[in-house]
Amino acid sequence: MLSFKKILMLCGLITTTQVFGLPQDSRRAGGIAVIPLAQNVTEVKYNGLPVLVTQPNSQRYAVFGIPLSTPVGTLELQTNSQPIQIEVKDYKYAQQRLTVKNQDYVNPKQEQLDRYAREAKEQNDIYTSFTAAQWTDFPHFIRPTAGKFSNSFGRKRFFNGEERAPHSGLDIPAPVGQKVVAPASGVVVGTGDYFFNGQTVLIDHGQGLISMFCHLSQIKVTKGQKLNQGEVLGLVGKTGRVTGAHLHWGMSLNNARVDPQLFLSP
């Protein structure tokens, strides 16, 4: 006799990914591949760097972030056994045209570019780090603040008519001063007032899984601080390059910026 949970799975109302709290599998640029591993696979890498591995039950999974720059086609992960092939599918992201009054944010001066380069290196050092996880099951994520998602992740952006890199986070419009909380437990590994991102907090959730919160009006945490899910890390603002008050929520997995919505239950 089938269990109630098995019936729901067969009807498509829940999936094995949802049952075990893993992120949604979406094999596109900026998406996530959730890959069941054979018993003899003990190590998974991409370009020589480790990939997150979790075991929510008797089955082990690799959870791999697909970079936004990945073309359609086949991508390969290395293991201590056979390589893993991932088929990256086409996905049409929207376009966004924004008008920014402060020209420094559209065509920065050299000293501002130098500042950005220093800040980008500081953030990249965090994104490329790989720390031991404090969890066994993959962490469950919640929304970091209230508000309607703008579905802005991956949008090709034009500032004052000039093309820029695709948007690598999810914008949540919200009033200045609204609380922003940790979507999952972790350690604060970076805070700062950055040129483009404004006041920013970065949290390390373990195994190369990093969350980022930008344009804050206030930062309520310090570097090295341990945060539990739901604890306040800052307040919504409009600092840095913005056109209005909102939270920019970014997620990085194995140094790939991926769609934050894939970490939430559909």
Side-chain angles (χ1 to χ4, degrees):
M1 182 175 180
L2 293 176
S3 68
F4 180 64
K5 182 165 69 176
K6 185 68 174 179
I7 293 172
L8 290 178
M9 290 170 61
L10 292 173
C11 292
L13 298 178
I14 60 175
T15 69
T16 53
T17 293
Q18 292 169 320
V19 169
F20 301 126
L22 293 169
Q24 301 171 53
D25 186 293
S26 181
R27 301 189 182 192
R28 53 176 162 102
I32 298 172
V34 181
I35 308 157
L37 298 176
Q39 289 186 352
N40 65 330
V41 175
T42 58
E43 186 178 73
V44 184
K45 291 188 175 182
Y46 177 66
N47 288 341
L49 297 176
V51 170
L52 186 152
V53 174
T54 185
Q55 187 169 343
N57 58 3
S58 58
Q59 174 65 58
R60 296 168 69 246
Y61 295 86
V63 182
F64 174 71
I66 304 171
L68 257 174
S69 58
T70 306
V72 172
T74 302
L75 181 151
E76 186 173 280
L77 304 184
Q78 298 79 47
T79 78
N80 59 298
S81 182
Q82 296 296 316
I84 296 172
Q85 304 286 334
I86 297 174
E87 188 66 28
V88 180
K89 298 181 179 180
D90 186 35
Y91 191 90
K92 298 297 183 185
Y93 288 110
Q95 293 188 1
Q96 184 179 35
R97 296 181 182 272
L98 299 169
T99 299
V100 180
K101 295 180 180 179
N102 189 338
Q103 287 298 311
D104 286 344
Y105 288 120
V106 180
N107 296 298
K109 300 180 178 63
Q110 187 58 51
E111 60 267 28
Q112 293 165 331
L113 290 173
D114 292 342
R115 173 186 170 187
Y116 168 72
R118 292 192 300 271
E119 294 171 349
K121 181 183 184 306
E122 180 180 325
Q123 294 170 56
N124 189 63
D125 288 344
I126 293 173
Y127 288 139
T128 55
S129 64
F130 194 88
T131 59
Q134 301 303 310
W135 37 264
T136 302
D137 296 351
F138 192 89
H140 169 69
F141 277 75
I142 61 173
R143 293 173 176 237
T145 199
K148 183 178 180 180
F149 289 168
S150 63
N151 292 321
S152 58
F153 178 83
R155 279 182 183 170
K156 183 179 291 186
R157 297 179 299 171
F158 297 82
F159 286 93
N160 297 357
E162 297 185 22
E163 185 174 353
R164 292 294 187 266
H167 191 241
S168 60
L170 179 69
D171 288 341
I172 308 175
V176 172
Q178 180 169 288
K179 292 180 179 179
V180 179
V181 303
S185 299
V187 177
V188 178
V189 286
T191 64
D193 189 358
Y194 299 127
F195 180 65
F196 286 119
N197 296 338
Q199 294 199 57
T200 298
V201 172
L202 294 102
I203 299 175
D204 184 355
H205 303 285
Q207 292 202 62
L209 181 58
I210 309 291
S211 58
M212 183 186 204
F213 311 89
C214 304
H215 310 308
L216 302 172
S217 59
Q218 291 185 43
I219 294 173
K220 297 288 190 179
V221 292
T222 57
K223 187 175 180 179
Q225 181 177 340
K226 292 183 179 180
L227 282 178
N228 293 319
Q229 184 184 69
E231 288 191 300
V232 175
L233 61 88
L235 305 178
V236 171
K238 50 181 179 179
T239 57
R241 183 170 68 182
V242 294
T243 56
H246 71 279
L247 174 68
H248 170 105
W249 175 25
M251 292 296 302
S252 183
L253 179 58
N254 52 262
N255 195 27
R257 260 46 95 206
V258 295
D259 189 348
Q261 293 183 90
L262 296 176
F263 292 90
L264 301 174
S265 298

